[in-house]
Amino acid sequence: MTVDAGYDIGANGSGQRQSLGTAAARNLATTTKSAPQMQGISSRWLLRMLPWVNVAGGTYRVNRRLSYAVGRGRVSFAQTADRVQVVPPTLRELPLLRGFEDEDVLGAIADRFTQREFAPGDVITEAGRPADQVYLVAHGKINKVGDGKYGNQKVVGVLADGDHFGDEALTDDDAAWGYSATASTAGTLMVMSRQAFQSLVDQSPELLVQIAQFLASSQQSTNRHGEAEIALSSGHEGEVDLPGTYVDYELAPREYELSVAQTVLRVHSRVADLYNQPMNQIEQQLKLTVEALRERQEHELVNNPEFGLLHNADHEQRIHTHHGPPTPDDMDELLSRRRDTSLFLAHPRTIAALGRECNKRGLYPDTIDLQGSRVPAWRGVPVLPCNKIPIQDGHISSVIAMRLGESNQGVVGLHQTGIPDEFEPSLSVRFMGINEKAVISYLVSAYYSAAVLVPDAIGVLENVEIARPSD
């Protein structure tokens, strides 16, 4: 038996040392050591998969065809205890009020909404009945149910926090519900009747002008994406007059400026001079600093309010789960929203939740080889882990679907190569000098951004429940 002090206990049990102990022997040995390790390094699939476009001037302009904004965003609410109020400026997300400037009128409209609670299973609207109210979903989830071809009921859409429906009832006296709205969870609605809106219109000439402008713009010829139509003729015979046309562009296209993540790396000159073997201290310090910057870069590409993917997904490309967990049906619906989906991004816990739902149905998704790694796939599209996608309240997350590439009108990463003191593409390490305390400083900077070229290049499955159900 051996004890930690380096003594060997012989047969006589005296405990007297009979050989050189390991603690003393280490003084003459050379230690074999690893390079500094870092637990915070992730797979960073987003950075690896994004096609990067070199932005020589630091700004990337996305030119698009002229589109007519129709205002299909989400309305916001303020809550005091159990009382909910509509935030007036967000009413501009209603098509009727798109671009309306008068804050007083918007406030008056917001005051005409009344609060209504609903319970699971409540029928809010019935197909075929007159549509004479506009509904704003403050909280909860509502299914839009329509008749199938063979008389059975089908869920044709899901409405959740911030969504609205029935706004066409404000200007169309003959509007009727084309679907039934049934609550799938408990929640809160804000409701305004056509009569309440009409009473305000009668008092506000400015609102009458806005309605007239909206009706005029709605007569513009557009395609199903809201873009200005290109007049064409087909199927004709003989000598007919062909329509003349041109492709109009947006007058104020969006521009993306490169963002920056920076830090100052400091190493004492004594450390760099005396403790530089067998590993270069500055090199190892820089290696770990660059890894941390790349992790921050991926976090910003997902979550930045200005250019982050979660914040730049069009509201029409945001869908909700049908029941909470990420089911195969939800993944199929997300996939069908765009052509040539290149990949899904999800938190590892979300991928595990999807696996549980597939197992319940006896489905076993394939795996594919991607850059030398085996990754799960759905319908042949890789489902890649990204721990930068947030988990809210410990159990709610999102799934992102993207089409990639500039030539494919998808999502692209933006950076600038060839910058001074470049260490990696679009990442520079600049010597800042040595201060009076003999500390060497290096400025480490990474420049990046991301651009969504057309709205359907990215879609988000929201409010995904990833908690494991209790047994």
Side-chain angles (χ1 to χ4, degrees), residues 128-132 168-177 194:
R129 299 292 297 273
D132 58 357
E168 65 275 6
L170 299 181
T171 56
D172 186 358
D173 294 337
D174 299 323
W177 295 110
R194 182 191 302 152

Side-chain angles (χ1 to χ4, degrees), residues 54-245:
N54 186 35
V55 182
T59 302
Y60 185 80
R61 177 180 298 158
V62 179
N63 289 308
R64 293 177 179 172
R65 282 177 57 185
L66 177 65
S67 298
Y68 295 104
V70 294
R72 281 292 176 186
R74 291 180 179 171
V75 180
S76 299
F77 305 89
Q79 184 173 358
T80 305
D82 59 350
R83 183 167 177 258
V84 178
Q85 292 179 299
V86 180
V87 177
T90 65
L91 285 174
R92 296 189 181 99
E93 299 301 335
L94 296 177
L96 188 65
L97 300 173
R98 185 69 173 183
F100 193 74
E101 299 295 337
D102 195 325
E103 296 282 350
D104 294 334
V105 174
L106 292 175
I109 296 175
D111 291 340
R112 280 166 167 74
F113 280 90
T114 59
Q115 184 173 338
R116 181 188 302 178
E117 307 296 325
F118 60 86
D122 285 355
V123 178
I124 299 167
T125 67
E126 294 185 27
R129 299 292 297 273
D132 58 357
Q133 292 180 315
V134 57
Y135 296 90
L136 311 178
V137 185
H139 178 65
K141 189 178 292 186
I142 297 172
N143 289 331
K144 295 167 64 176
V145 181
D147 291 331
K149 183 177 180 180
Y150 301 101
N152 53 339
Q153 297 288 302
K154 300 287 187 180
V155 176
V156 297
V158 179
L159 302 166
D161 302 10
D163 288 331
H164 51 273
F165 60 105
D167 45 87
E168 65 275 6
L170 299 181
T171 56
D172 186 358
D173 294 337
D174 299 323
W177 295 110
Y179 52 85
S180 298
T182 305
S184 61
T185 68
T188 303
L189 283 170
M190 300 299 290
V191 185
M192 181 178 65
S193 66
R194 182 191 302 152
Q195 290 78 9
F197 180 75
Q198 189 60 45
S199 66
L200 179 63
V201 169
D202 294 340
Q203 303 170 15
S204 174
E206 296 89 353
L207 191 55
L208 283 172
V209 172
Q210 173 64 26
I211 293 174
Q213 292 175 345
F214 167 75
L215 293 176
S217 65
S218 67
Q219 302 303 315
Q220 295 283 355
S221 179
T222 62
N223 61 19
R224 64 188 180 92
H225 302 291
E227 297 172 327
E229 191 66 83
I230 298 176
L232 303 171
S233 178
S234 62
H236 52 270
E237 296 181 0
E239 298 177 356
V240 299
D241 292 333
L242 298 179
T245 189

Side-chain angles (χ1 to χ4, degrees), residues 419-466:
I419 58 178
D421 302 311
E422 189 171 61
F423 181 77
E424 291 181 358
S426 201
L427 186 147
S428 68
V429 179
R430 185 167 294 179
F431 177 67
M432 297 177 63
I434 305 175
N435 65 13
E436 63 277 6
K437 295 182 179 181
V439 176
I440 307 171
S441 297
Y442 295 89
L443 175 64
V444 188
S445 307
Y447 300 94
Y448 55 86
S449 188
V452 180
L453 300 188
V454 295
D456 75 342
I458 182 171
V460 179
L461 179 65
E462 296 186 318
N463 296 323
V464 179
E465 294 183 2
I466 61 175

